[in-house]
């Protein structure tokens, strides 16, 4: 349920999308607090896990590495994969509809903050076969 007064939101305060590769806690989105032009949240990836090659048709994405280390792939305009090692403080820009993937190659967890513009692509994740809705305050 949308609560437009929710301007300070921690990942533990919202339900999370759980997957075999980790989880996404949407902390800003139309359905969370009425955001109109973008959505975003915190992604937690356990060591050795990651989300496979995918894209978000019609949307751009920003990925910011909060903690941990990994390999980020973003395809170039010709569809060739470009892979870089990334760590805390790195911002990754994923152009509209571009395929990308992230893999945690570190010994510990990797945490990202992701932003989608316009909002919406993240809702398609609910259709994935390994999707589980985790209640607020749910397990990590």
């Amino acid at each position: 349920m949308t609560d437009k007064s929710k301007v300070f939101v921690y990942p533990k305060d919202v339900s999370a999308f759980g997957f075999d590769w980790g989880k996404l806690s949407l902390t800003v989105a139309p359905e969370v607090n009425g955001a109109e032009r973008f959505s975003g949240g915190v992604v937690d990836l356990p060591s050795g896990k990651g989300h496979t090659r995918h894209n978000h048709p019609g949307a751009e994405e920003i990925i910011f590495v909060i903690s941990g280390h990994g390999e980020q792939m973003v395809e170039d305009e010709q569809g060739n994969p470009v892979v870089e090692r990334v760590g805390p403080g790195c911002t990754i820009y994923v152009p509209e509809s571009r395929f990308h993937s992230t893999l945690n190659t570190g010994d510990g967890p990797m945490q990202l903050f992701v932003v989608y513009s316009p909002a919406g692509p993240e809702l398609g994740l609910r259709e994935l076969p390994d999707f589980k809705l985790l209640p607020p305050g749910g397990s990590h």
Side-chain angles (χ1 to χ4, degrees), residues 79-129:
N80 301 306
V82 177
V83 179
E84 291 281 338
R85 295 185 59 73
V86 296
C90 184
T91 299
I92 299 107
Y93 167 60
V94 182
E96 182 179 337
S97 305
R98 197 78 57 86
F99 280 93
H100 56 286
S101 63
T102 308
L103 176 65
N104 178 352
T105 58
D107 293 335
M110 185 177 195
Q111 192 170 63
L112 314 169
F113 189 81
V114 299
V115 177
Y116 306 99
S117 178
E122 69 285 354
L123 298 179
L125 295 171
R126 292 174 174 263
E127 308 305 317
L128 296 176

Side-chain angles (χ1 to χ4, degrees), residues 19-74:
F19 306 94
D20 293 344
W21 50 261
K23 72 176 185 175
L24 166 62
S25 302
L26 283 178
T27 53
V28 58
E31 65 275 16
V32 174
N33 42 21
E36 295 178 10
R37 295 176 180 87
F38 53 80
S39 60
V42 178
V43 173
D44 291 287
L45 299 173
S47 182
K49 298 287 187 176
H51 53 79
T52 57
R53 179 184 178 274
H54 66 285
N55 74 340
H56 308 289
E60 295 175 292
E61 182 177 1
I62 297 167
I63 303 170
F64 178 79
V65 181
I66 298 169
S67 61
H69 292 85
E71 289 183 353
Q72 179 67 49
M73 185 280 291
V74 179

